[in-house]
Amino acid sequence: MRTVLALLMVGVGFLSANAEVQTKQVTYHDGDLVLEGLVVWDPATASKTSPGVLVVHQWMGQTAYEHRRCKQLAELGYVAFALDIYGKGNRPADRQEAAKLSSTFKSNAELYRRRLNLGLEQLLAQPGVDTKQIAAIGYCFGGKGVLELARSGADVDGVVSFHGALDSPQPEDGKNIKAKVLICHGADDPFVPEADIDAMKKEFNDANVDWQMIYYSGAVHSFTQPMAGNDNSQGAAYNAKADHRSWIAMKSFFAELFESDK
């Protein structure tokens, strides 16, 4: 009897271990440049297709932060893929390098959109992804990135921008947007001018984009990122309340988005 119980306990432990969220590195290319993404999923949903969520990194590149967000998404039942804009092993050493590297893409929409769409292709190719139910989220540099992905005409259901740049450098591209848009923005963000927000709103309205925008009081840039510190005077700082509320807003957006696809 004890042997049977012991075997049952081992079996339960084995199942529990295998029920944990799984990860896999994915290598892909843009010409000769090697890119490396990370796919994260929950094996408990492996027997059926699940919505896929693309995760676009902030200006320091793909880090443990994006991996944590992917894990959270997998725990919600999605297959998440953290793409790589910069290239395998190409990570800024500091904020100065990050500003320089990210500006390369901000000033070259064609290059930026190509890298974004290459990441989307990898998400769509992952086992267990329902290719009819796809969204993208991004932070800071990636917050602008998901808007650029939408402007490229990518066939995604929705995008969520967390404290991203909100300029409208090519307003005519608004007509390409097929996705619904959710923007989560710090009300005190000093890096996003009101003129940019007004231009973005005009672009979206002129193109009849289905968009919504939430302002979080007391929040500045990078409000979802603990590594930003807690000093609002720096212009970028973590805000636990805004982080929590924006994640809930994203979940509600996804519930509406994917339910409408059924």
Side-chain angles (χ1 to χ4, degrees), residues 219-236:
V220 291
H221 204 65
S222 303
F223 64 78
T224 69
Q225 299 176 277
M227 62 275 204
N230 57 11
D231 183 358
N232 273 20
S233 70
Q234 298 299 308

Side-chain angles (χ1 to χ4, degrees), residues 9 31 44 53 70 162 216 243 261-262:
M9 290 177 70
V53 181
C70 284
F162 295 93
Y216 298 98
D243 181 17
D261 279 353
K262 294 179 181 179

Side-chain angles (χ1 to χ4, degrees), residues 4-94:
V4 172
L5 287 172
L7 289 171
L8 286 172
M9 290 177 70
V10 169
V12 170
F14 177 80
L15 290 172
S16 297
N18 281 272
E20 294 178 357
V21 166
Q22 302 293 303
T23 66
K24 181 180 69 174
Q25 296 286 349
V26 177
T27 298
Y28 58 113
H29 298 81
D30 181 5
D32 293 332
L33 181 68
V34 178
L35 303 164
E36 187 174 59
L38 184 79
V39 61
V40 186
W41 74 99
D42 184 346
T45 63
S47 61
K48 61 180 181 180
T49 56
S50 303
V53 181
L54 188 69
V55 178
V56 186
H57 57 73
Q58 33 71 48
W59 70 350
M60 296 301 290
Q62 186 195 130
T63 66
Y65 176 79
E66 287 73 29
H67 297 175
R68 177 171 68 84
R69 291 302 188 184
C70 284
K71 183 175 184 292
Q72 289 178 290
L73 289 165
E75 289 169 345
L76 293 174
Y78 305 122
V79 177
F81 183 76
L83 58 64
D84 178 13
I85 297 292
Y86 294 159
K88 183 177 180 179
N90 188 15
R91 299 292 177 264
D94 51 36

